Amino acid sequence: MKALEVIDFKKSYGNYEAVKGIDFEVNRGEIFGLIGPNGAGKTTTLRTICTLIKINNGEINVYGNSVKSEAGKVREIISYLPEEAGAYKNMKGIDYLKFVANFFPLKDYNEMVKKGSEISDLGDKLNNKVESYSKGMTRRLLVARALMTDPLLAILDEPTSGLDVINAQEVRKVILNMKNSDCAVLLSSHNMLEVEYLCDRIALMDNGIIVEMGTPGELKDRYKARNIEEVFTEVIK
Ligand code: ATP
């Protein structure tokens, strides 16, 4: 069974068609990247898969569960890291992880908090309030929150945005560890180096449609490009 199937998905906001009918699949153990210029429809697609936006047209299934008719089941097996996410500022980092862990009564609470603490790599700072965190520290806490629950499909919108080089590298390592596991990762990023490094396959969106899709190697060969940034600029002219 596919981790994710997106079939002829369309989404309009009023009269404006933000996504115009896209199809792609993500396999178990795969890291799949959605790239494209601002306004291409990436976040709309990710939010619809997460059941946060109602689907206008088409089908989206997560491990066979329809986002239309089985939204509850979908929510149980996914984890979503939004692009613009915040954690409760008055909470200590560790309390935020515990707070989130409480929402998963069927899973091992202590194991989850331990995993979250490790992924965050915030050490003693976990005992400080989130309001004292830098942007990067908050992002790491949120990445930890999203991945500590062992989702079957992790949906990460710009996972390393705002992180410095070292922090971004650490987060990438955590994501890479999910490769070839039982779960799958769908991420969007404006960082083409990151996408090339992490993703097994990439879909390039522009203006609400998928204009290219393939492995990083296939895309580079197709455009005789040295890297994915060159592919991007060649396709999005
Ligand atoms: P970015 O890289 O800038 O995050 P994106 O690829 O994630 O862009 P979306 O956020 O999905 O793009 O937006 C796609 C289009 O839909 C844009 O033209 C945007 O203005 C429009 N849009 C998004 N959300 C809404 C909304 N709630 N109401 C109206 N239009 C919207």
Side-chain angles (χ1 to χ4, degrees), residues 13 16 18 36-44 83 190:
Y13 298 105
Y16 179 70
N38 293 131
K42 305 178 297 293
T43 297
T44 298
E83 189 179 7
H190 287 294

